[in-house]
Amino acid sequence: MGSGVLAKLGSVITAKTAAVAAAGALVVSGAVGVGVWAVNGGPQLVVVQRSASVSVPARGEQAAIAPCQAHEKALGGGYAVTGTGFATSSLFVGDAWLTAAYNPDDAPATLTSYALCINAKPEFRGDADWSQTAHAYHDRRDKMGTDSVGGAIHDLTIGGPFRDAAHNASPSLSCPGGFTSLGTEFRAGRTLTGRAVAPVPLDTLTTQSAIAGAQPLPRVMLNPGSRLSTGVFPLRTSEYIEHQTRIEDPQPPEANYAVTVRPICVRLKDVSVATTKVAVAAGGSASGVVSCPKGKLVVGGGFQFPAENEETSPQAPTRFFGDGWLYAPTDAPAAGESSGSKVKAWHVTGRNQQKAGLDYYNSVWIEHSDRETLTGNGYFDTHGRGPDDQVLRALAVPDSQEMVASAVCATIDAKPTEPAKAPSPPVVTRPELPHALDPLPGATGGTGSASPSAPTPGASPTTSPTASPGTSPTPGSPNSPGTPTTGGPSRPATPSQGSSPTRQQPQAPTVSIQQPGAGGQLRRGCEESFAGTARTRPGNQPVTDPQYTSWRITGPNGPVTLGAGASGRFLVPLLPDGTYKLVFSATDPAAGLTGSAEVSVKIVGCLR
């Protein structure tokens, strides 16, 4: 058989699989191939690809399974998405390979799942688990926790719910005990429960040697899903300003995306990694094909976008959501071969969503609110907003990004197996996969907010709920993606119509400002004391955590963030003399509801 047809599989698949496939959410293919024989009449060791294809609807998800034959063993697999889209899960299902993909476009796409099948029984490491995670929440690795005048920065990275994700964006994987990595399985997940999630493509899925002669190591990394705040903040010096990033709620659901990963570890003989480099122009795509040396089998492959311009110096930019993704919609055996063909090379197509001529969001600008005094404040953005604004750090997007395509090459010391005279179709049982897209409809506040309706330039658009790729949420938990998660705020339950009439419904916290008082003076460029109170309703519990509180002054060009916490000493922004609105906001961590208080204050010159 070629591509999978449910009627031809019949009772071979389980009832659960059949129901899903009949709904169009899963395709299973079992191509029956003949063995490869040497001239002397005996079987020859060979790696072949088995494939299955399925249409992925617009703004939807879909999955396909490609199984090996009964006498074959799956070494790993790959995928190819024709059209717009990318893989969200890619993993073993027994001796078959499952791939799920997401299509953010308005036109349908095609997903092909590939299994690498060998007619032998090599030894796999059996105790590998899904204990490690790659996160789409990114921040600068050299981020500063204080601003240029020593004031603390409070955001989702520093002391916030994404702190661990920011410090562990890429997992550390290895294959100990004489085993070698052929690649990595990954499956969709999320970082925090209770927050919406939307998929992000990988920019690295490769096996490579860190140094010449060393064992290949798997590497996995997601593109950024976290959005850099473009809010204005007080600025006195430009020193290390690009390191003083601020990531604040609301965040797009892509910021909460993660994939759990597991290395594919096999005991092999004489393993090496062949690579080729391809320049992918901004806004375009390019392909690379990698072959193995004569006498070695292609047993895996991968890709990486090193983005060297983001690593060259302390002033190099960091990519954030909206800067454009770098990914590979195709990471599979060489294209154009039919299912059951011998694998001769590895094929990777890279796509570069960056836009040449633009600046990164990590670029820094100074806002000039007053032409006479040239007082101002800083902000992160791709461009200046006002006619008097000036650039402090312009970090340009390059014309192209280099992609490294790789093939894992090896000799296998195993006895070839022969196909049965009347091979039976493979039996495939569909696993429970997590949702890659779960906007948590009805969630409020920062714990479940979707991205704004206007898409950020260079980033894939956020979508509304769609059919899952033949997956189901974990029973009894509509929020759970079915994978281990770190701690975080839980999504509050919706009270039922039959609940007790005496039960109080959550309301926004009661918020007040004690200092400064209405009409109080704040000295421009000086640190002043601020104090407020916030209590939940019902419960009357104080809200003091910096991640749920904020102080802002509304300037001529929008809000300027002062700091966070119920009280503290914050730097007064460089605004012209005048009267401004001071706002103290607090969010109930459990209900996700936000309350605020405001007073009018006067900004005057600072006498030192």
Side-chain angles (χ1 to χ4, degrees), residues 144-471:
M144 295 177 64
T146 57
D147 60 24
S148 54
V149 292
I153 294 174
H154 297 286
D155 68 354
L156 296 177
T157 299
I158 300 177
F162 287 98
R163 178 183 177 89
D164 291 340
H167 294 147
N168 299 282
S170 180
S172 177
L173 301 172
S174 63
C175 291
F179 290 90
T180 300
S181 171
L182 300 189
T184 306
E185 300 173 82
F186 64 93
R187 63 184 183 189
R190 76 176 79 206
T191 299
L192 300 175
T193 59
R195 281 184 179 251
V197 67
V200 170
L202 297 167
D203 72 7
T204 297
L205 180 65
T206 189
T207 297
Q208 63 180 29
S209 299
I211 56 177
Q215 282 286 85
L217 294 174
R219 294 191 61 191
V220 181
M221 182 169 285
L222 285 163
N223 275 271
S226 47
R227 177 186 285 123
L228 186 62
S229 172
T230 56
V232 179
F233 55 89
L235 177 67
R236 189 181 297 170
T237 173
S238 62
E239 187 177 16
Y240 303 117
I241 188 63
E242 64 276 0
H243 299 256
Q244 299 166 32
T245 56
R246 291 156 169 84
I247 303 179
E248 301 170 345
D249 272 330
Q251 282 291 302
E254 286 84 353
N256 195 34
Y257 187 67
V259 292
T260 51
V261 296
R262 182 169 64 176
I264 303 171
C265 302
V266 185
R267 197 180 298 279
L268 295 175
K269 180 181 178 182
D270 192 14
V271 180
S272 61
V273 179
T275 62
T276 188
K277 297 180 180 180
V278 180
V280 186
S285 60
S287 297
V289 178
V290 192
S291 300
C292 287
K294 186 176 180 180
K296 285 191 174 183
L297 301 171
V298 179
V299 294
F303 67 93
Q304 179 183 16
F305 279 93
E308 293 179 353
N309 69 300
E310 300 170 12
E311 306 286 343
T312 53
S313 71
Q315 288 75 39
T318 292
R319 248 180 307 140
F320 288 92
F321 185 79
D323 281 322
W325 288 334
L326 308 172
Y327 67 100
T330 296
D331 179 37
E337 301 289 339
S338 60
S339 183
S341 300
K342 180 179 178 180
V343 178
K344 301 175 182 178
W346 197 260
H347 175 227
V348 180
T349 297
R351 187 163 293 160
N352 181 349
Q353 283 190 330
Q354 293 187 317
K355 296 182 179 180
L358 294 183
D359 292 328
Y360 283 82
Y361 274 95
N362 200 187
S363 300
V364 191
W365 305 79
I366 185 169
E367 169 190 85
H368 287 160
S369 304
D370 187 302
R371 294 194 179 202
E372 294 182 1
T373 61
L374 293 183
T375 57
N377 304 284
Y379 58 89
F380 294 98
D381 212 331
T382 61
H383 58 280
R385 302 171 186 167
D388 299 317
D389 294 0
Q390 295 182 2
V391 64
L392 289 179
R393 294 283 189 276
L395 306 172
V397 171
D399 292 336
S400 65
Q401 292 282 10
E402 186 176 76
M403 180 189 71
V404 180
S406 59
V408 183
C409 311
T411 56
I412 297 179
D413 189 12
K415 182 180 179 181
T417 55
E418 299 182 37
K421 292 183 179 180
S424 58
V427 177
V428 179
T429 302
R430 171 188 167 268
E432 290 293 342
L433 283 179
H435 283 288
L437 179 66
D438 181 6
L440 293 183
T444 59
T447 59
S449 58
S451 59
S453 57
T456 305
S460 297
T462 302
T463 64
S464 57
T466 59
S468 66
T471 66

Side-chain angles (χ1 to χ4, degrees), residues 1-9 26-32 50-55 64-67 110-113 338-340:
M1 282 188 296
S3 58
V5 179
L6 179 62
K8 294 185 179 181
L9 293 175
L26 181 70
V27 167
V28 181
S29 176
V32 178
R50 309 286 181 187
S51 62
S53 298
V54 63
S55 177
I65 295 178
T110 300
L111 164 68
T112 301
S113 180
S338 60
S339 183

Side-chain angles (χ1 to χ4, degrees), residues 455-524:
T456 305
S460 297
T462 302
T463 64
S464 57
T466 59
S468 66
T471 66
S472 302
T474 303
S477 177
N479 300 331
S480 173
T483 57
T485 59
T486 58
S490 297
R491 182 186 180 191
T494 302
S496 64
Q497 296 294 326
S499 59
S500 171
T502 61
R503 182 180 178 183
Q504 293 178 284
Q505 299 301 312
Q507 300 181 58
T510 301
V511 182
S512 64
I513 296 175
Q514 278 74 50
Q515 187 181 6
Q521 291 188 347
L522 299 176
R523 297 168 297 166
R524 174 175 60 246

